[in-house]
Amino acid sequence: MAQLNFGGTEENVVTRDEFPLSKAQEVLRNETVAVIGYGVQGPGQALNQKDNGINVIVGQRKNSKSWDKAVSDGFVPGETLFEIEEALEKGTIICYLLSDAAQIELWPTVQKHLTPGKALYFSHGFGITFKEQTGILPPAGVDVFLVAPKGSGTSLRRMFLQGRGLNSSFAIFQDATGKAWERVVALGIAVGSGYLFETDFKKEVYSDLTGERGTLMGCIQGIFAAQYDVLRSKGHTPSEAFNETVEELTQSLMPLVAENGMDWMYANCSTTAQRGALDWWKKFRDATKPVFEELYESVATGKESQRSIDSNSQPDYREKLNAELKELRDSELWQAGKTVRSLRPENQAIESIS
Ligand SMILES: NC(=O)C1=CN([C@@H]2O[C@H](COP(=O)(O)OP(=O)(O)OC[C@H]3O[C@@H](n4cnc5c(N)ncnc54)[C@H](O)[C@@H]3O)[C@@H](O)[C@H]2O)C=CC1
Ligand SMILES: CC(=O)[C@](C)(O)C(=O)O
Ligand SMILES: [Mg+2]
Ligand SMILES: [Mg+2]
């Protein structure tokens, strides 16, 4: 493993140079990788592995949209696509990619098929870390590890097709065969990771739950809404408020941050903007830090995982979720966004062709 300096701290990473695809193919040569669940991560990870020459099968409930999607993605019923139990039986590595709440329900079935020497693979530290809540306690004879792509399964697939790679963390919870390290790293490369960084199950789930509730998803929507509302209340039009809150960020400024860091994005803006941003960022940090402290505490005490399990195991959770997503979509902010997006020249070109 390479040791790299991350802002002054040495950390272990595995790169594609060190562990190329050919090595991953060699390690996984005699394995059958069974991807259980074909929702968001399932397709990304299964298709990338298939395209990378890994022997991968999919386990999914028949008569479901996901089953039909697997078929249209090229998985063949009876050959590479099976009912869940059949795939569990055939797989030597079980990639457990049901939603975290659904993993609890199917666990007794999965457990039956975890014979010695097999491996149980997760893409989240959730089930194992919150075992008191999930009841997921793997038997001693199997390897248990995770590869957690740091992004949506949709991006994992898209970036793979573009010849890029999303980075992932990896962790080993149980090494029963003595081969857990090479198995998990090979899988990490095979699913299309750009590189892998080391963590453990608890750190993965604590940071992941914090990130998605925080800056990645929850906090960013909150901050957008707050600024948008203030601009609107001061008489700015929806298009102006949306452009100054979201569109400029996603289209112009964040790509610069992604490329070369915050200071570089700042340096490519006016000195007026730089002066103001440098003056104001610490105030925003100080205002939000207590909320992040509260959030981390809520993750660490198991409150967030319990809430997620409770709400996602309701029979009508899909309808409720869709209603909440619709509320967001129907808000003035995101309705304004829809019009703004339609005005992007590349989208107009698509509309005029179709
Ligand atoms: N969505 C994402 O991009 C990311 C997900 N993860 C993790 O990957 C894992 C999988 O997550 P997603 O792909 O989002 O899952 P998902 O919510 O898309 O569900 C996956 C599949 O589970 C099946 N399913 C649901 N309930 C079931 C049940 N009771 N019995 C049998 N099948 C059932 C669905 O048909 C679906 O095909 C989770 O541990 C998640 O935390 C990690 C990184 C990103
Ligand atoms: C995409 C991702 O990594 C998230 C936000 O943590 C998730 O979907 O759970
Ligand atoms: Mg994540
Ligand atoms: Mg997550």
Side-chain angles (χ1 to χ4, degrees), residues 216-298:
L216 304 177
M217 295 171 69
C219 169
I220 198 163
Q221 166 60 23
I223 288 179
F224 283 169
Q227 175 170 305
Y228 182 89
D229 287 354
V230 169
L231 288 171
R232 288 288 289 131
S233 74
K234 303 295 178 192
H236 296 269
T237 62
S239 69
E240 185 164 72
F242 187 84
N243 272 301
E244 281 303 340
T245 303
V246 180
E247 189 72 354
E248 180 168 341
L249 181 74
T250 60
Q251 301 304 294
S252 162
L253 302 185
M254 273 301 147
L256 297 180
V257 177
E259 242 171 68
N260 244 335
M262 192 65 85
D263 66 297
W264 194 73
M265 183 270 269
Y266 279 17
N268 282 282
C269 291
S270 66
T271 51
T272 307
Q274 290 180 58
R275 182 67 270 133
L278 289 165
D279 287 346
W280 277 87
W281 78 262
K282 290 180 183 160
K283 202 176 170 99
F284 283 110
R285 178 195 59 194
D286 296 345
T288 55
K289 202 161 175 190
V291 186
F292 285 107
E293 298 281 5
E294 184 189 336
L295 165 58
Y296 194 88
E297 192 58 19
S298 188

Coordinates of all heavy atoms in Angstrom, one line a residue, residues 216-298:
L216 N -23.0 17.5 1.9 CA -23.2 16.9 0.6 C -24.7 17.0 0.2 O -25.0 17.2 -1.0 CB -22.8 15.4 0.7 CG -21.4 15.1 1.0 CD1 -21.2 13.6 1.1 CD2 -20.4 15.7 0.1
M217 N -25.6 16.9 1.2 CA -27.0 16.9 0.8 C -27.9 17.8 1.7 O -28.7 18.6 1.2 CB -27.5 15.5 0.8 CG -26.9 14.6 -0.2 SD -27.3 12.8 -0.1 CE -29.0 12.8 -0.6
G218 N -27.9 17.5 3.0 CA -28.9 18.2 3.9 C -28.5 19.7 4.1 O -29.3 20.6 3.9
C219 N -27.3 19.9 4.5 CA -26.9 21.3 4.8 C -26.9 22.1 3.5 O -27.3 23.3 3.6 CB -25.5 21.2 5.3 SG -24.7 22.8 5.5
I220 N -26.5 21.6 2.4 CA -26.5 22.4 1.2 C -27.9 22.9 0.8 O -28.1 24.0 0.4 CB -25.7 21.7 0.0 CG1 -25.2 22.8 -1.0 CG2 -26.4 20.6 -0.6 CD1 -24.2 22.4 -1.9
Q221 N -28.8 22.0 0.9 CA -30.2 22.4 0.5 C -30.7 23.5 1.5 O -31.3 24.4 1.2 CB -31.1 21.2 0.6 CG -32.6 21.5 0.6 CD -33.1 22.3 -0.6 OE1 -32.5 22.3 -1.7 NE2 -34.2 23.0 -0.5
G222 N -30.3 23.3 2.8 CA -30.7 24.3 3.8 C -30.1 25.7 3.5 O -30.8 26.7 3.6
I223 N -28.8 25.7 3.2 CA -28.2 26.9 2.9 C -28.7 27.6 1.6 O -29.0 28.8 1.6 CB -26.6 26.7 2.8 CG1 -26.1 26.5 4.2 CG2 -26.0 28.0 2.2 CD1 -24.6 26.2 4.2
F224 N -29.0 26.7 0.6 CA -29.6 27.3 -0.6 C -30.9 27.9 -0.3 O -31.2 29.1 -0.7 CB -29.9 26.1 -1.6 CG -28.7 25.6 -2.4 CD1 -28.9 24.4 -3.1 CD2 -27.5 26.2 -2.4 CE1 -27.8 23.9 -3.9 CE2 -26.4 25.7 -3.1 CZ -26.6 24.5 -3.9
A225 N -31.8 27.2 0.5 CA -33.1 27.7 0.8 C -33.0 29.0 1.6 O -33.8 30.0 1.3 CB -33.9 26.7 1.6
A226 N -32.1 29.1 2.5 CA -32.0 30.3 3.3 C -31.6 31.5 2.5 O -32.2 32.6 2.6 CB -30.9 30.1 4.5
Q227 N -30.6 31.4 1.6 CA -30.2 32.5 0.8 C -31.2 32.9 -0.2 O -31.5 34.1 -0.4 CB -28.8 32.2 0.1 CG -28.4 33.3 -0.8 CD -27.0 33.1 -1.4 OE1 -26.1 33.0 -0.6 NE2 -26.9 33.2 -2.7
Y228 N -31.8 31.9 -0.8 CA -32.9 32.1 -1.8 C -34.0 32.9 -1.2 O -34.5 33.9 -1.7 CB -33.4 30.8 -2.4 CG -34.4 30.9 -3.5 CD1 -34.0 31.0 -4.8 CD2 -35.8 30.9 -3.2 CE1 -35.0 31.1 -5.8 CE2 -36.7 31.0 -4.2 CZ -36.3 31.1 -5.5 OH -37.2 31.2 -6.5
D229 N -34.5 32.5 0.0 CA -35.6 33.1 0.7 C -35.3 34.6 1.0 O -36.1 35.5 0.8 CB -35.9 32.4 2.0 CG -36.6 31.1 1.7 OD1 -36.9 30.8 0.5 OD2 -36.8 30.3 2.7
V230 N -34.0 34.8 1.4 CA -33.7 36.2 1.7 C -33.7 37.1 0.5 O -34.3 38.2 0.4 CB -32.3 36.3 2.4 CG1 -31.8 37.7 2.5 CG2 -32.4 35.7 3.8
L231 N -33.1 36.5 -0.6 CA -33.1 37.3 -1.9 C -34.5 37.6 -2.3 O -34.9 38.7 -2.7 CB -32.3 36.6 -2.9 CG -30.8 36.6 -2.7 CD1 -30.1 35.6 -3.7 CD2 -30.2 38.0 -2.8
R232 N -35.4 36.6 -2.3 CA -36.8 36.8 -2.7 C -37.5 37.8 -1.8 O -38.2 38.6 -2.3 CB -37.5 35.4 -2.7 CG -37.0 34.5 -3.8 CD -37.5 34.9 -5.2 NE -39.0 34.7 -5.3 CZ -39.8 35.6 -5.8 NH1 -39.3 36.8 -6.2 NH2 -41.1 35.3 -5.9
S233 N -37.2 37.7 -0.5 CA -37.9 38.6 0.4 C -37.5 40.1 0.2 O -38.2 41.0 0.6 CB -37.7 38.2 1.8 OG -36.4 38.5 2.3
K234 N -36.3 40.2 -0.4 CA -35.8 41.6 -0.7 C -36.2 42.1 -2.1 O -35.7 43.0 -2.6 CB -34.3 41.7 -0.5 CG -33.8 41.2 0.9 CD -34.3 42.2 2.0 CE -33.8 41.7 3.3 NZ -34.5 42.4 4.5
G235 N -37.1 41.3 -2.8 CA -37.6 41.8 -4.0 C -36.8 41.3 -5.3 O -37.1 41.7 -6.4
H236 N -35.9 40.3 -5.1 CA -35.2 39.8 -6.3 C -36.1 38.8 -7.0 O -36.9 38.1 -6.3 CB -33.9 39.1 -5.9 CG -32.9 40.1 -5.3 ND1 -32.0 40.8 -6.1 CD2 -32.8 40.6 -4.0 CE1 -31.4 41.7 -5.3 NE2 -31.8 41.6 -4.1
T237 N -36.0 38.6 -8.3 CA -36.8 37.7 -9.1 C -36.3 36.3 -8.8 O -35.2 36.1 -8.4 CB -36.7 37.9 -10.6 OG1 -35.4 37.7 -11.0 CG2 -37.2 39.3 -10.9
P238 N -37.2 35.3 -9.0 CA -36.8 33.9 -8.9 C -35.6 33.6 -9.7 O -34.6 32.9 -9.3 CB -38.0 33.1 -9.3 CG -39.2 34.0 -9.1 CD -38.7 35.4 -9.3
S239 N -35.5 34.0 -11.0 CA -34.4 33.7 -11.8 C -33.1 34.3 -11.3 O -32.0 33.6 -11.2 CB -34.6 34.0 -13.3 OG -34.6 35.4 -13.4
E240 N -33.2 35.5 -10.8 CA -31.9 36.1 -10.2 C -31.5 35.4 -8.9 O -30.3 35.0 -8.8 CB -32.2 37.6 -9.9 CG -31.0 38.3 -9.5 CD -31.2 39.8 -9.5 OE1 -31.9 40.4 -8.7 OE2 -30.6 40.5 -10.4
A241 N -32.5 35.1 -8.1 CA -32.2 34.4 -6.8 C -31.6 33.0 -7.1 O -30.7 32.6 -6.5 CB -33.5 34.3 -6.0
F242 N -32.2 32.3 -8.1 CA -31.7 30.9 -8.3 C -30.3 31.0 -8.9 O -29.4 30.2 -8.5 CB -32.7 30.2 -9.3 CG -32.3 28.7 -9.5 CD1 -32.7 27.8 -8.5 CD2 -31.4 28.3 -10.5 CE1 -32.3 26.5 -8.7 CE2 -31.0 27.0 -10.6 CZ -31.4 26.1 -9.7
N243 N -30.1 31.9 -9.9 CA -28.8 32.0 -10.5 C -27.7 32.3 -9.5 O -26.6 31.7 -9.5 CB -28.8 33.1 -11.6 CG -29.2 32.4 -12.9 OD1 -28.5 31.5 -13.4 ND2 -30.3 32.9 -13.5
E244 N -28.0 33.2 -8.5 CA -27.0 33.6 -7.5 C -26.8 32.6 -6.4 O -25.9 32.7 -5.6 CB -27.3 35.0 -6.9 CG -27.0 36.2 -7.8 CD -25.5 36.3 -8.2 OE1 -24.6 35.7 -7.6 OE2 -25.3 37.0 -9.2
T245 N -27.8 31.7 -6.3 CA -27.7 30.7 -5.2 C -27.2 29.3 -5.7 O -26.4 28.7 -5.0 CB -29.1 30.6 -4.6 OG1 -29.5 31.9 -4.2 CG2 -29.1 29.6 -3.4
V246 N -27.7 28.9 -6.8 CA -27.4 27.5 -7.3 C -26.7 27.4 -8.6 O -25.6 26.8 -8.7 CB -28.7 26.7 -7.4 CG1 -28.4 25.2 -7.8 CG2 -29.5 26.7 -6.1
E247 N -27.2 28.0 -9.6 CA -26.7 27.8 -11.0 C -25.3 28.2 -11.2 O -24.5 27.4 -11.7 CB -27.6 28.6 -12.0 CG -27.3 28.2 -13.5 CD -27.8 26.8 -13.9 OE1 -28.3 26.1 -13.0 OE2 -27.7 26.5 -15.1
E248 N -24.9 29.3 -10.7 CA -23.5 29.7 -10.8 C -22.6 28.8 -10.0 O -21.5 28.5 -10.4 CB -23.4 31.2 -10.3 CG -22.0 31.7 -10.3 CD -21.9 33.2 -10.1 OE1 -22.9 33.9 -10.2 OE2 -20.8 33.7 -9.7
L249 N -23.1 28.3 -8.9 CA -22.3 27.4 -8.1 C -22.0 26.1 -8.8 O -20.8 25.7 -8.9 CB -23.0 27.1 -6.8 CG -22.2 26.2 -5.8 CD1 -21.1 26.9 -5.2 CD2 -23.2 25.6 -4.8
T250 N -23.1 25.5 -9.4 CA -22.9 24.2 -10.0 C -22.2 24.3 -11.4 O -21.4 23.4 -11.7 CB -24.2 23.4 -10.1 OG1 -25.1 24.2 -10.9 CG2 -24.9 23.2 -8.8
Q251 N -22.5 25.3 -12.1 CA -22.1 25.4 -13.5 C -20.7 26.0 -13.6 O -19.9 25.6 -14.4 CB -23.0 26.2 -14.3 CG -24.4 25.6 -14.4 CD -24.4 24.2 -14.8 OE1 -24.1 23.9 -16.0 NE2 -24.7 23.3 -14.0
S252 N -20.4 27.0 -12.8 CA -19.2 27.8 -13.0 C -18.2 27.6 -11.9 O -17.0 27.3 -12.1 CB -19.6 29.3 -13.1 OG -18.4 30.1 -12.9
L253 N -18.6 27.7 -10.6 CA -17.6 27.8 -9.5 C -17.2 26.4 -9.0 O -16.0 26.2 -8.8 CB -18.1 28.7 -8.4 CG -18.5 30.1 -8.9 CD1 -18.9 31.0 -7.7 CD2 -17.3 30.8 -9.7
M254 N -18.1 25.5 -8.8 CA -17.7 24.2 -8.2 C -16.8 23.4 -9.1 O -15.8 22.8 -8.6 CB -18.9 23.4 -7.8 CG -19.4 23.7 -6.4 SD -18.1 23.4 -5.1 CE -18.5 24.6 -3.9
P255 N -17.0 23.5 -10.4 CA -16.0 22.8 -11.3 C -14.6 23.3 -11.1 O -13.6 22.5 -11.1 CB -16.5 23.0 -12.7 CG -18.0 23.2 -12.5 CD -18.2 23.9 -11.2
L256 N -14.5 24.6 -10.8 CA -13.2 25.2 -10.5 C -12.6 24.7 -9.2 O -11.4 24.4 -9.1 CB -13.2 26.7 -10.5 CG -13.6 27.4 -11.9 CD1 -13.6 28.9 -11.7 CD2 -12.7 27.0 -13.0
V257 N -13.5 24.6 -8.2 CA -13.0 24.0 -6.9 C -12.6 22.6 -7.1 O -11.5 22.2 -6.6 CB -14.2 24.1 -5.9 CG1 -13.7 23.5 -4.5 CG2 -14.6 25.5 -5.6
A258 N -13.4 21.8 -7.9 CA -13.0 20.4 -8.1 C -11.7 20.3 -8.7 O -10.9 19.4 -8.4 CB -14.1 19.7 -8.9
E259 N -11.4 21.2 -9.7 CA -10.2 21.1 -10.4 C -8.9 21.4 -9.6 O -7.9 20.8 -9.7 CB -10.3 22.1 -11.6 CG -10.2 21.5 -12.9 CD -10.5 22.6 -13.9 OE1 -9.7 23.5 -14.1 OE2 -11.6 22.5 -14.5
N260 N -9.1 22.5 -8.8 CA -7.8 23.0 -8.2 C -8.0 23.6 -6.8 O -7.1 24.3 -6.4 CB -7.3 24.1 -9.1 CG -5.9 23.7 -9.7 OD1 -5.2 22.9 -9.1 ND2 -5.6 24.3 -10.8
G261 N -9.1 23.4 -6.2 CA -9.2 23.9 -4.8 C -9.9 25.2 -4.6 O -10.1 25.9 -5.6
M262 N -10.2 25.5 -3.4 CA -11.0 26.7 -3.1 C -10.3 28.0 -3.4 O -10.8 29.0 -4.0 CB -11.5 26.7 -1.7 CG -12.5 27.7 -1.3 SD -14.1 27.4 -2.1 CE -14.9 26.2 -1.0
D263 N -9.0 28.1 -3.0 CA -8.3 29.3 -3.2 C -8.1 29.6 -4.7 O -8.2 30.8 -5.1 CB -6.9 29.3 -2.6 CG -6.0 28.2 -3.3 OD1 -6.3 27.0 -3.2 OD2 -5.0 28.6 -3.9
W264 N -8.1 28.6 -5.5 CA -7.9 28.8 -7.0 C -9.2 29.3 -7.6 O -9.2 30.2 -8.4 CB -7.5 27.5 -7.6 CG -7.0 27.6 -9.1 CD1 -5.9 28.1 -9.5 CD2 -7.7 27.2 -10.2 NE1 -5.8 28.1 -10.8 CE2 -6.9 27.5 -11.3 CE3 -9.0 26.6 -10.5 CZ2 -7.3 27.3 -12.7 CZ3 -9.3 26.4 -11.8 CH2 -8.5 26.7 -12.9
M265 N -10.4 28.8 -7.1 CA -11.7 29.3 -7.5 C -11.8 30.8 -7.1 O -12.1 31.6 -7.9 CB -12.8 28.5 -6.9 CG -14.2 28.9 -7.4 SD -14.9 30.2 -6.3 CE -15.8 29.2 -5.2
Y266 N -11.4 31.0 -5.9 CA -11.5 32.4 -5.4 C -10.6 33.3 -6.3 O -11.0 34.4 -6.7 CB -10.9 32.6 -4.0 CG -11.9 32.2 -2.8 CD1 -13.0 31.5 -3.1 CD2 -11.6 32.6 -1.5 CE1 -13.9 31.1 -2.0 CE2 -12.5 32.3 -0.5 CZ -13.6 31.5 -0.7 OH -14.4 31.2 0.3
A267 N -9.4 32.8 -6.6 CA -8.4 33.6 -7.4 C -9.0 33.9 -8.8 O -8.5 34.9 -9.5 CB -7.1 32.9 -7.5
N268 N -9.9 33.1 -9.3 CA -10.5 33.3 -10.6 C -11.8 34.1 -10.5 O -12.5 34.3 -11.5 CB -10.7 32.0 -11.3 CG -9.4 31.4 -11.9 OD1 -9.0 31.9 -12.9 ND2 -8.8 30.5 -11.1
C269 N -12.1 34.7 -9.4 CA -13.2 35.6 -9.2 C -12.6 37.0 -9.0 O -11.4 37.2 -8.8 CB -14.1 35.1 -8.1 SG -15.0 33.6 -8.5
S270 N -13.5 38.0 -8.9 CA -13.1 39.4 -8.8 C -12.5 39.6 -7.4 O -12.7 38.9 -6.5 CB -14.3 40.3 -9.0 OG -15.2 40.1 -7.9
T271 N -11.7 40.6 -7.3 CA -11.1 40.9 -6.0 C -12.2 41.4 -5.1 O -12.1 41.1 -3.8 CB -10.0 42.1 -6.1 OG1 -10.6 43.1 -6.9 CG2 -8.8 41.6 -6.8
T272 N -13.3 41.9 -5.6 CA -14.4 42.3 -4.8 C -15.0 41.0 -4.1 O -15.3 41.0 -2.9 CB -15.5 43.0 -5.6 OG1 -14.9 44.0 -6.4 CG2 -16.6 43.5 -4.8
A273 N -15.2 40.0 -5.0 CA -15.8 38.7 -4.5 C -14.8 38.1 -3.5 O -15.3 37.6 -2.4 CB -16.0 37.8 -5.6
Q274 N -13.5 38.1 -3.8 CA -12.6 37.5 -2.9 C -12.6 38.1 -1.5 O -12.6 37.5 -0.5 CB -11.2 37.6 -3.5 CG -11.0 36.7 -4.7 CD -9.6 36.8 -5.3 OE1 -8.6 36.5 -4.7 NE2 -9.5 37.2 -6.6
R275 N -12.6 39.5 -1.5 CA -12.6 40.2 -0.3 C -13.8 39.8 0.6 O -13.7 39.4 1.8 CB -12.6 41.7 -0.5 CG -12.6 42.7 0.6 CD -11.2 42.7 1.4 NE -11.3 41.7 2.5 CZ -10.3 40.8 2.8 NH1 -9.2 40.7 2.1 NH2 -10.5 39.9 3.8
G276 N -15.0 39.7 0.0 CA -16.2 39.4 0.7 C -16.2 38.0 1.2 O -16.6 37.7 2.3
A277 N -15.8 37.1 0.3 CA -15.8 35.6 0.7 C -14.8 35.4 1.8 O -15.1 34.6 2.8 CB -15.5 34.8 -0.6
L278 N -13.7 36.0 1.7 CA -12.7 35.8 2.8 C -13.2 36.4 4.1 O -12.9 35.8 5.2 CB -11.3 36.4 2.4 CG -10.6 35.6 1.3 CD1 -9.5 36.4 0.6 CD2 -10.1 34.3 1.8
D279 N -13.9 37.5 4.0 CA -14.5 38.0 5.3 C -15.6 37.2 5.9 O -15.7 37.2 7.1 CB -15.0 39.5 5.0 CG -13.9 40.5 4.8 OD1 -12.7 40.2 5.1 OD2 -14.2 41.6 4.2
W280 N -16.4 36.6 5.0 CA -17.6 36.0 5.5 C -17.5 34.5 5.8 O -18.4 33.9 6.5 CB -18.8 36.2 4.5 CG -19.4 37.6 4.7 CD1 -18.9 38.8 4.2 CD2 -20.5 37.9 5.6 NE1 -19.7 39.8 4.7 CE2 -20.6 39.3 5.5 CE3 -21.3 37.1 6.4 CZ2 -21.6 40.0 6.2 CZ3 -22.3 37.8 7.1 CH2 -22.5 39.2 7.0
W281 N -16.5 33.7 5.3 CA -16.6 32.3 5.4 C -16.5 31.8 6.9 O -17.2 30.8 7.3 CB -15.6 31.5 4.5 CG -14.2 31.5 4.9 CD1 -13.2 32.2 4.4 CD2 -13.5 30.5 5.7 NE1 -12.0 31.9 4.9 CE2 -12.2 30.8 5.7 CE3 -14.0 29.4 6.5 CZ2 -11.2 30.0 6.5 CZ3 -13.1 28.7 7.2 CH2 -11.7 29.0 7.2
K282 N -15.8 32.5 7.7 CA -15.6 32.1 9.1 C -16.9 32.3 9.9 O -17.2 31.5 10.8 CB -14.4 32.8 9.7 CG -13.1 32.3 9.1 CD -11.9 32.9 9.7 CE -10.6 32.4 9.0 NZ -9.5 33.3 9.1
K283 N -17.6 33.3 9.5 CA -18.9 33.5 10.2 C -19.9 32.4 9.9 O -20.6 31.9 10.8 CB -19.5 34.9 9.7 CG -20.5 35.5 10.6 CD -20.9 36.8 10.0 CE -22.1 37.4 10.9 NZ -21.7 38.4 11.8
F284 N -19.9 31.9 8.6 CA -20.7 30.8 8.3 C -20.2 29.5 9.0 O -21.0 28.7 9.5 CB -20.8 30.5 6.8 CG -21.7 31.5 6.1 CD1 -21.2 32.5 5.2 CD2 -23.1 31.5 6.2 CE1 -22.0 33.4 4.6 CE2 -23.9 32.4 5.6 CZ -23.4 33.4 4.8
R285 N -18.9 29.3 9.0 CA -18.4 28.2 9.8 C -18.9 28.2 11.2 O -19.4 27.2 11.7 CB -16.8 28.2 9.7 CG -16.2 27.1 10.5 CD -14.7 27.3 10.8 NE -14.5 28.5 11.5 CZ -13.3 29.1 11.7 NH1 -12.3 28.6 11.1 NH2 -13.2 30.2 12.4
D286 N -18.7 29.3 11.9 CA -19.0 29.4 13.3 C -20.6 29.2 13.5 O -21.0 28.7 14.5 CB -18.6 30.7 13.9 CG -17.0 30.8 13.8 OD1 -16.4 29.8 13.6 OD2 -16.5 32.0 14.0
A287 N -21.3 29.7 12.6 CA -22.8 29.6 12.7 C -23.2 28.1 12.6 O -24.2 27.7 13.2 CB -23.5 30.5 11.7
T288 N -22.6 27.4 11.7 CA -23.0 26.0 11.4 C -22.3 24.9 12.3 O -22.9 23.9 12.4 CB -22.8 25.6 9.9 OG1 -21.5 25.8 9.6 CG2 -23.7 26.5 9.0
K289 N -21.2 25.3 12.8 CA -20.5 24.2 13.6 C -21.3 23.6 14.7 O -21.3 22.3 14.8 CB -19.2 24.8 14.1 CG -18.1 23.7 14.4 CD -16.8 24.3 14.5 CE -15.8 23.2 14.9 NZ -14.5 23.7 15.2
P290 N -22.0 24.3 15.4 CA -22.8 23.7 16.5 C -23.8 22.7 15.9 O -24.1 21.6 16.5 CB -23.6 24.8 17.2 CG -22.8 26.1 16.8 CD -22.2 25.8 15.5
V291 N -24.4 23.0 14.7 CA -25.3 22.1 14.1 C -24.6 20.8 13.7 O -25.1 19.7 13.8 CB -26.0 22.7 12.8 CG1 -27.1 21.8 12.3 CG2 -26.6 24.1 13.2
F292 N -23.3 20.9 13.2 CA -22.6 19.7 12.8 C -22.2 18.9 14.0 O -22.2 17.7 14.0 CB -21.3 20.1 12.0 CG -21.6 20.5 10.6 CD1 -21.5 21.8 10.2 CD2 -22.0 19.6 9.6 CE1 -21.8 22.2 8.9 CE2 -22.2 19.9 8.3 CZ -22.2 21.3 8.0
E293 N -21.9 19.6 15.1 CA -21.7 18.8 16.4 C -22.9 18.0 16.8 O -22.8 16.9 17.2 CB -21.3 19.8 17.5 CG -20.1 20.7 17.3 CD -18.8 19.9 17.6 OE1 -18.8 18.7 17.9 OE2 -17.7 20.6 17.5
E294 N -24.0 18.7 16.7 CA -25.3 18.0 17.1 C -25.6 16.8 16.1 O -26.0 15.7 16.6 CB -26.4 19.0 16.9 CG -27.8 18.5 17.4 CD -28.9 19.5 17.0 OE1 -28.6 20.7 16.8 OE2 -30.1 19.0 16.9
L295 N -25.3 17.0 14.9 CA -25.5 16.0 13.9 C -24.6 14.8 14.2 O -25.0 13.6 14.2 CB -25.2 16.6 12.5 CG -25.0 15.6 11.3 CD1 -26.1 14.6 11.1 CD2 -24.7 16.4 10.0
Y296 N -23.3 15.0 14.4 CA -22.3 13.9 14.7 C -22.8 13.1 15.9 O -22.7 11.9 15.9 CB -20.9 14.4 14.8 CG -19.9 13.3 14.7 CD1 -19.4 12.9 13.5 CD2 -19.5 12.6 15.9 CE1 -18.5 11.9 13.4 CE2 -18.6 11.5 15.8 CZ -18.1 11.2 14.5 OH -17.2 10.1 14.4
E297 N -23.2 13.8 16.9 CA -23.7 13.2 18.1 C -24.9 12.3 17.8 O -25.0 11.2 18.3 CB -24.1 14.3 19.1 CG -24.4 13.9 20.5 CD -23.2 13.2 21.2 OE1 -22.0 13.3 20.7 OE2 -23.4 12.5 22.2
S298 N -25.8 12.8 17.0 CA -27.0 12.0 16.6 C -26.6 10.8 15.8 O -27.3 9.7 16.0 CB -27.9 12.9 15.8 OG -29.1 12.3 15.6

